[in-house]
Amino acid sequence: MLKQQDRLDPLFQAFADTTRRAMVDRLSKGPASVSELAEPLAMSLSAVVQHLQVLEAGGLVSSQKVGRVRTCRLEPLAMGTAETWIADRLCAWEQRLDRLAEFLAEDRDPDRANDHPRQRSTS
Amino acid sequence: MLKQQDRLDPLFQAFADTTRRAMVDRLSKGPASVSELAEPLAMSLSAVVQHLQVLEAGGLVSSQKVGRVRTCRLEPLAMGTAETWIADRLCAWEQRLDRLAEFLAEDRDPDRANDHPRQRSTS
DNA sequence: CTGTTGTTTAAGCATATACTTAAGTATAGC
DNA sequence: GCTATACTTAAGTATATGCTTAAACAACAG
């Protein structure tokens, strides 16, 4: 099982631009063609297509062409991968705070010091 | 109340690099000095400081100097801002699926079509 | 076949990123 | 004061990004 950590760079890169986030926001309301995506954006169609490539490289968006129109849709799994990465670190941060609070509680109430074996300063 | 949408670019940019995510990961386990952050990384201290500046520009990390050592810590609020932005779009995407399922259910069971007034194809 | 629509590709350009090395500054300890 | 430690700053460089314009191309519509 290969780590997909390698794919996180282009994934987060895809989010790091206002225009691309606007496109993701649009696609969260449902699939859209390239020109529908471009319509509210103040730039050339060509630029939009390039942003689309960045979004696809990040795995955030997939698309398929039918006739002459390319329909784009959001990839919720990739969205979830990004969200989870952040949530995991927030969780670790909070757990550390919990342990800190526990440690401080033991200092206040030494009788409970043995609940969780832990070194305490004896100086 | 000014939108903080402007700050999302540098926020997500901060996540878009393996080295910086490693630093965030380290800081999720607790505060660290600049050299502690740099120690596991295969690059110059100078490069690490520059990554740190990107993290601070994104609001993900804050730091303060005491004596000659700068201590860095994670900013959970900024982490939450990024997570929430993604979660909100995922939520919108799922709600659209729900409405779609509802619509299809009405098609299968026309008696319930009036529960939620909605146009249906008559062709 | 001919034009319009929807996209695609290529080339070019200004700025931003991700480093490097080298030199500088500010404590802390002896 | 002298020296090691912990950064800090500056300058340089290679590659990446975010656009632009112009020129295809492909699929309908008449």
Side-chain angles (χ1 to χ4, degrees), chain B residues 33-35 45-46 65 68-70:
Chain B
S33 71
V34 174
S35 19
L45 220 198
S46 190
K65 201 166 183 175
R68 59 187 164 172
V69 24
R70 174 169 301 277

Side-chain angles (χ1 to χ4, degrees), chain A residues 23-60:
Chain A
M23 291 167 77
V24 167
D25 191 49
R26 166 62 188 83
L27 290 174
S28 74
K29 272 99 179 171
S33 70
V34 174
S35 20
E36 278 166 357
L37 278 177
E39 192 264 326
L41 303 173
M43 65 182 64
S44 71
L45 220 196
S46 189
V48 172
V49 170
Q50 287 169 66
H51 280 302
L52 195 54
Q53 286 167 356
V54 175
L55 289 167
E56 295 204 40
L60 267 182

